[in-house]
Amino acid sequence: MYAPCIISSICDKIKLFYEANIIKHQNFKGWWHVYHAFSIVNIPVVIEKRVCMVNWFKPDSSWIKLNTDGSYNGKVAGCGGILRNHLGQMIKAFDGPVKGNSALIAELKGIIYGISMCINLGYNRIWIEVDAMLILHYINNNSLFNAENYYLIRQMKQDLSNNNYKISHIYREGNGCADALAKVGCNLLEYAEFSDHDIPKVVKGLARLDRAGLPYIRNHDGIT
């Protein structure tokens, strides 16, 4: 009854069962990391699609919500954003070109322009939502350590310091309105602002889905 001998015997049996095709790799579903404990090698890795639902949520009645995004297609960059009230109704939207060679620069420019738009419209309780986690890190962190974008980050923080704000992350699927505007912004020569009656049709359709509370589907890849 020596424990290491018992464990070794069990491992040998499981390996024999696997080699005899009595135990299959599907039996290890969710426990692929234990294969090597049984000296089993050359295991096929199965990639599973996991689905989750992503929703865009309306702000409280005393807040307005600003969704922004940036886009870079390898040649040109653009940004876009949309401002909505507690009913999910669009107040204003924008898109425009960005001088830069990265999506991060476009993201920062989009937030800065969006905050300026909110201030000009007289709003000072702003819920900002983005799909780039790095932006949250820059805003919530006291340092400005990113040398390349130091001045943009500083300007963004200065603009926010004069307002009541909160910021959150949303997956790209739920940030469809801002994403579509940013892609259009890549091909523009100057910034454009929209109201509900002249916003691009694709954005207007996505905004209606958000207002109705319909979810988006996001696929995750998982190893089993």
Side-chain angles (χ1 to χ4, degrees):
M1 298 299 292
Y2 183 52
C5 290
I6 296 172
I7 293 171
S8 178
S9 179
I10 291 172
C11 288
D12 289 343
K13 288 289 186 183
I14 290 176
K15 183 180 179 182
L16 288 172
F17 285 149
Y18 184 84
E19 291 173 348
N21 208 29
I22 296 172
I23 293 178
K24 306 179 188 299
H25 80 272
Q26 292 93 332
N27 298 120
F28 290 90
K29 185 177 181 180
W31 297 92
W32 58 271
H33 55 283
V34 304
Y35 286 131
H36 294 294
F38 304 109
S39 300
I40 299 173
V41 295
N42 300 323
I43 301 300
V45 176
V46 178
I47 304 297
E48 240 186 20
K49 288 290 186 182
R50 299 176 184 174
V51 175
C52 71
M53 309 302 271
V54 179
N55 287 84
W56 180 88
F57 293 104
K58 302 168 186 174
D60 293 334
S61 58
S62 59
W63 290 74
I64 50 94
K65 191 171 187 181
L66 172 67
N67 283 81
T68 66
D69 200 7
S71 179
Y72 178 64
N73 61 18
K75 295 181 180 179
V76 291
C79 65
I82 182 169
L83 188 63
R84 286 171 281 190
N85 63 18
H86 65 286
L87 299 175
Q89 297 168 333
M90 193 190 94
I91 301 170
K92 207 158 191 177
F94 72 91
D95 56 19
V98 171
K99 292 182 179 179
N101 58 358
S102 76
L104 177 59
I105 293 175
E107 295 267 5
L108 292 168
K109 289 276 192 177
I111 293 177
I112 290 169
Y113 191 97
I115 295 169
S116 175
M117 188 174 71
C118 292
I119 294 171
N120 291 337
L121 290 170
Y123 297 107
N124 64 355
R125 293 172 68 85
I126 310 166
W127 177 6
I128 302 167
E129 196 166 57
V130 295
D131 57 35
M133 286 295 295
L134 194 57
I135 298 296
L136 271 72
H137 175 75
Y138 288 143
I139 291 177
N140 295 327
N141 195 300
N142 290 325
S143 67
L144 299 171
F145 62 89
N146 187 295
E148 182 182 1
N149 301 304
Y150 174 87
Y151 293 105
L152 285 176
I153 295 170
R154 186 178 68 174
Q155 181 182 346
M156 176 180 66
K157 287 192 170 187
Q158 287 175 343
D159 292 346
L160 287 172
S161 66
N162 298 319
N163 293 275
N164 294 317
Y165 75 92
K166 55 185 177 180
I167 185 165
S168 61
H169 174 264
I170 187 170
Y171 286 119
R172 184 169 298 277
E173 289 81 359
N175 202 31
C177 290
D179 181 61
L181 287 163
K183 285 182 170 62
V184 174
C186 289
N187 301 312
L188 298 180
L189 298 177
E190 59 184 15
Y191 278 80
E193 294 187 1
F194 308 96
S195 58
D196 186 59
H197 71 274
D198 61 358
I199 195 168
K201 288 184 178 180
V202 63
V203 181
K204 191 168 188 176
L206 290 169
R208 285 178 176 173
L209 294 176
D210 289 345
R211 189 165 67 246
L214 296 178
Y216 298 88
I217 297 175
R218 175 179 174 81
N219 289 316
H220 288 277
D221 287 336
I223 299 177
T224 61

